[in-house]
């Protein structure tokens, strides 16, 4: 086994071990989705109509709160291949704007099974809640076909290993 592979496996194992004692991670396959995700708590499911890429679409959301952190997964079908990139851009702008983040650290995001898209990104930023208290947030944005996804972790003081576990466990399985 190449050293790079061994090192990667070890790092993944340590990250999972670091999170395991403090949270009860469970794999979910949201109904109506090709996605597999892990949540540290049982999420509530919500639906609402939103404007995205110039049209009204139904957005499904899974959200749970555990020990001061919020874990959320939202997805919506945009019904037009040309609307995927604008929808991802709008989701990005809304996530950053909702907490009035000034500096955003952005890296490419590769979710196994996703449709390749240059707008698939992982964002990290600090901002403020509506009441002015500080918040740290990490967001993953990606698409599968004409469905766009936003995975979010936020807390007053975000633990990077928990965000890594949540965002790193995302998988699309058609």
């Amino acid at each position: 086994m190449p050293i790079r592979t061994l090192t990667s496996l070890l790092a993944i194992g340590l990250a999972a071990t670091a999170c395991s004692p403090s949270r009860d991670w469970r794999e979910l396959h949201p109904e109506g989705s090709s996605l597999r995700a892990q949540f540290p708590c049982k999420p509530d499911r919500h639906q609402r109509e939103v404007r995205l890429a110039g049209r009204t679409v139904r957005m499904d959301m899974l959200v749970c709160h555990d020990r001061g952190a919020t874990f959320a997964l939202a997805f919506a079908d945009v019904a037009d291949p040309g609307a995927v990139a604008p929808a991802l851009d709008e989701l990005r702008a809304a996530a950053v704007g909702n907490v009035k983040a000034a500096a955003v650290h952005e890296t490419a995001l590769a979710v196994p099974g996703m449709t390749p898209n240059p707008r698939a990104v992982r964002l990290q930023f600090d901002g403020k809640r509506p009441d002015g208290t500080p918040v740290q947030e990490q967001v993953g944005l990606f698409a599968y076909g004409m469905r766009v996804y936003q995975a979010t972790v936020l807390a007053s003081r975000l633990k990077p290993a928990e965000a890594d576990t949540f965002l790193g466990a995302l998988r699309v399985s058609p």
Side-chain angles (χ1 to χ4, degrees), residues 13-163:
L14 288 173
T17 303
C19 291
S20 296
S22 64
R23 301 229 189 242
D24 181 21
W25 293 95
R26 68 211 59 197
E27 183 173 278
L28 296 174
H29 180 78
E31 184 181 328
S33 171
S34 300
L35 190 72
R36 296 210 180 274
Q38 286 192 16
F39 280 82
C41 41
K42 185 177 179 190
D44 294 322
R45 186 167 188 152
H46 307 275
Q47 293 179 344
R48 65 179 182 163
E49 300 293 313
V50 298
R51 290 289 294 170
L52 198 57
R55 59 183 45 102
T56 300
V57 298
R58 185 187 81 201
M59 180 171 279
D60 288 274
M61 294 166 278
L62 297 169
V63 181
C64 74
H65 308 281
D66 188 44
R67 298 177 206 160
T70 299
F71 298 82
L73 174 67
F75 55 93
D77 290 313
V78 294
D80 174 12
V84 171
L88 290 171
D89 289 343
E90 289 176 25
L91 290 171
R92 180 192 193 286
V96 172
N98 285 342
V99 297
K100 297 176 182 41
V104 178
H105 177 69
E106 181 177 314
T107 56
L109 179 66
V111 171
M114 73 176 209
T115 302
N117 189 305
R119 288 182 171 86
V121 294
R122 181 170 175 171
L123 309 170
Q124 293 178 262
F125 47 89
D126 294 346
K128 296 201 180 293
R129 290 187 171 100
D131 66 4
T133 59
V135 67
Q136 296 178 322
E137 188 168 347
Q138 290 196 31
V139 175
L141 300 168
F142 62 98
Y144 174 68
M146 291 176 281
R147 178 168 285 174
V148 294
Y149 290 91
Q150 176 179 334
T152 304
V153 183
L154 67 101
S156 296
R157 183 157 296 238
L158 191 59
K159 295 178 181 173
E162 292 174 350

